[in-house]
Amino acid sequence: MKPEKPGRFGRFGGRFVPETLMGPLIELEEAYETCRKDPAFQQELDRLLRDYVGRPTPLTPAARLGEELGGLRIHLKREDLCHTGAHKINNTLGQALLARRMGKRRVIAETGAGQHGVASATAAALLDLECVVYMGSEDMARQSLNVTRMRLLGARVVEVAAGSRTLKDAINEAMRDWVTNCAGTHYILGSVLGAHPYPALVRDFQSVIGREARAQYLKTEGRLPDLLVACVGGGSNSLGLFTAFLADEAVEMVGVEAGGEGIAAGRHAARFAGGSPGVLHGTYTFLLQDAAGNIAPTHSVSAGLDYPAVGPEHADLREQGRVRYEIASDVEALDGFRRLARCEGILPALESAHALGWLAAHASRLPQGCRVLVNLSGRGDKDVDQAAARLGVEP
């Protein structure tokens, strides 16, 4: 294990990997630095985001929801309207273009809720790349629709039956594949996690969300919002939104982790509420672990938030006090899902429903007329069966 200074966010981040991965990570860092400054690369990515993904995504007023929550002025950043149905496509297209620039013809990915897997399979199909996606067997069972979508797009989905059979174990298998095949393979990591340069690289590809939202809000409202709210699993959609507002000191930001069945019950994925600093998957950050450093089990109604670590930049933003991190329980998330569906005619992903659930639970503490911007990171088609069963809706 070898720590490196590049890619630090305060005391968090870094590069803690076996020697066999140092070469591929340095190659990726150098390639990204070149592409980041290359106008031709940026123009190609911008064209795909516009003509293929459908950007800019709209900023939608949620007036009925705001009225139900006591007079809040709520807007939704509609990443659910991206091609493939979630913000994940912003990052996968960027990384797939990067892979092609590096001469890698094979890409691998891991996925929890399936949206990153679908986005990776989509980008690979578009750019004629071989694609393999690792997914825990528990997540495959609760996200079967997305498994089918990946296979139809030409990806090979590898079931991971080890450990908790969720995202953590899928990442373990993806990293083993990368160690073995790194010469011709690029690992499309799905969130602001992992060893340097991944946390910064994924954040940069997702920062289009916040750049658009800030400009759209200023244009339609003539000012900035009072409060940003976004769910936090690994943390890519939230950093995608927050990054553009970090210098705006008057804008409060709340990241919402999965409280599951409660911190006291130990069945949750709230790293800041129940975790401590440590190393997982190549980066130093907050994670759920026992006193001996063994990774603790996690639980969330949302497969996309069911992960024991959080991105290292989030850990630093919390330590700076710039972003506040709260939790929403499974019950509160399902309440957020139901409220948005019935007030606004939008089925949110269960991940995004955590942000909405937290807002509903804490709306009474916010001043009337508070201007809130919620990042709707994905659509809820994949979660319909699970949400209906939990909410008692008959098929």
Side-chain angles (χ1 to χ4, degrees):
M1 306 290 277
K2 184 178 181 181
E4 292 278 326
K5 283 194 174 181
R8 289 283 184 173
F9 303 95
R11 64 186 175 115
F12 299 104
R15 183 183 284 159
F16 297 81
V17 296
E19 285 297 328
T20 48
L21 282 181
M22 289 300 290
L25 285 167
I26 291 170
E27 179 190 19
L28 177 61
E29 179 184 10
E30 292 174 349
Y32 178 58
E33 280 303 306
T34 300
C35 289
R36 193 168 63 86
K37 300 169 185 171
D38 181 353
F41 179 88
Q42 294 299 336
Q43 286 169 9
E44 186 172 16
L45 179 58
D46 290 346
R47 179 185 62 78
L48 287 174
L49 291 175
R50 182 189 66 237
D51 299 338
Y52 189 71
V53 174
R55 304 207 72 91
T57 56
L59 202 64
T60 302
R64 288 197 61 220
L65 179 64
E67 183 180 346
E68 181 169 297
L69 297 184
L72 302 181
R73 292 175 60 89
I74 301 172
H75 283 76
L76 307 171
K77 180 57 174 168
R78 300 293 305 280
E79 294 301 290
D80 60 313
L81 295 181
C82 288
H83 175 49
T84 72
H87 73 293
K88 295 292 187 181
I89 190 71
N90 305 322
N91 170 52
T92 58
L93 272 178
Q95 288 201 47
L97 285 175
L98 196 53
R100 194 175 66 178
R101 284 287 188 103
M102 291 189 292
K104 314 277 187 181
R105 301 299 307 169
R106 178 176 182 265
V107 295
I108 60 173
E110 86 302 318
T111 193
Q115 290 301 111
H116 175 60
V118 169
S120 297
T122 299
L126 180 70
L127 299 180
D128 191 24
L129 303 172
E130 179 187 353
C131 181
V132 178
V133 180
Y134 290 89
M135 190 170 189
S137 52
E138 181 171 326
D139 291 338
M140 288 181 72
R142 55 181 171 175
Q143 299 293 343
S144 59
L145 173 64
N146 277 338
V147 175
T148 303
R149 291 172 73 193
M150 285 182 265
R151 288 173 172 159
L152 288 171
L153 289 161
R156 183 164 69 90
V157 182
V158 178
E159 179 176 0
V160 178
S164 60
R165 300 173 296 147
T166 57
L167 180 59
K168 169 179 70 71
D169 309 289
I171 293 177
N172 289 341
E173 290 303 316
M175 292 187 77
R176 289 189 185 98
D177 182 318
W178 199 32
V179 167
T180 306
N181 302 295
C182 56
T185 298
H186 171 66
Y187 178 12
I188 302 182
L189 206 152
S191 194
V192 287
L193 295 163
H196 175 66
Y198 277 111
L201 182 155
V202 176
R203 176 205 61 203
D204 290 351
F205 284 137
Q206 293 292 4
S207 63
V208 65
I209 301 171
R211 292 198 305 273
E212 283 180 9
R214 193 176 187 282
Q216 289 167 321
Y217 204 96
L218 283 170
K219 183 176 181 180
T220 59
E221 296 294 301
R223 50 161 289 175
L224 294 175
D226 300 310
L227 172 65
L228 309 182
V229 186
C231 65
V232 180
S236 65
N237 92 89
S238 45
L239 269 188
L241 176 67
F242 293 167
T243 299
F245 295 87
L246 287 175
D248 302 311
E249 295 182 0
V251 179
E252 186 181 1
M253 304 183 194
V254 171
V256 183
E257 295 188 291
E261 296 175 359
I263 305 304
R267 282 178 53 77
H268 62 88
R271 292 65 48 98
F272 290 129
S276 56
V279 172
L280 181 64
H281 294 144
T283 193
Y284 180 68
T285 186
F286 262 74
L287 53 97
L288 296 173
Q289 57 186 332
D290 63 19
N294 299 308
I295 301 304
T298 56
H299 163 80
S300 171
V301 68
S302 164
L305 302 185
D306 198 354
Y307 180 68
V310 65
E313 190 168 2
H314 281 290
D316 183 50
L317 289 170
R318 176 180 178 268
E319 201 150 273
Q320 291 180 37
R322 182 63 187 93
V323 178
R324 186 156 51 93
Y325 293 86
E326 303 277 357
I327 61 172
S329 67
D330 287 352
V331 171
E332 289 169 336
L334 288 162
D335 178 64
F337 184 98
R338 181 189 59 79
R339 284 178 188 269
L340 193 69
R342 296 190 177 180
C343 288
E344 303 294 342
I346 299 170
L347 292 173
L350 280 175
E351 290 83 356
S352 313
H354 281 72
L356 296 159
W358 177 86
L359 184 60
H362 294 80
S364 62
R365 303 178 193 177
L366 298 174
Q368 190 172 27
C370 181
R371 297 169 185 262
V372 184
L373 173 56
V374 179
N375 196 34
L376 206 61
S377 60
R379 70 186 186 214
D381 304 41
K382 64 185 176 60
D383 300 315
V384 163
D385 290 343
Q386 189 181 5
R390 292 287 299 265
L391 292 168
V393 177
E394 294 183 1

